[in-house]
Amino acid sequence: QVQLVESGGGLVQPGGSLRLSCAASGSIFSVNAMAWYRQAPGKQRELVASITGGGRTNYADSVKGRVTISRDSAKRTTYLQMSSLKPEDTGVYYCNADLVGAYYLRKEYWGQGTQVTVSA
């Protein structure tokens, strides 16, 4: 019933910018923390950035200063603004949300992922 849908991925040149979006929909009572993860081929999924319901943000050292996470609570959407992109930023980016859904049950949900490729 609950869905997280990512968008905004694509091919970008090194040094370029990209903004990813993740919209939560379905039987949702409230959304707590939201986050972005990424996974490169043959590697483990890693946390890129997160934002709590109170607006507190956290970033991986590898992206700090180049990435900004934000959210629109009314739209139940989180955004990941990325700039000065590097080839090592390439991977599938996944949205994650800690929320209360149907029957007031709290759990984490994952999006299907969106591909980001940084290459000349």
Side-chain angles (χ1 to χ4, degrees), residues 10-33:
L11 176 64
V12 63
Q13 294 184 331
S17 299
L18 209 61
R19 189 175 82 151
L20 306 182
S21 299
C22 172
S25 63
S27 301
I28 301 172
F29 176 74
S30 64
V31 178
N32 302 122

Side-chain angles (χ1 to χ4, degrees), residues 13-67:
Q13 294 184 331
S17 299
L18 209 61
R19 189 175 82 151
L20 306 182
S21 299
C22 172
S25 63
S27 301
I28 301 172
F29 176 74
S30 64
V31 178
N32 302 122
M34 301 189 81
W36 286 95
Y37 289 76
R38 69 185 180 189
Q39 186 169 27
K43 296 185 178 181
Q44 296 187 78
R45 188 173 299 183
E46 63 176 349
L47 176 68
V48 177
S50 64
I51 183 168
T52 68
R56 182 183 298 175
T57 59
N58 185 51
Y59 300 94
D61 290 338
S62 60
V63 303
K64 196 170 185 177
R66 303 187 295 117
V67 169

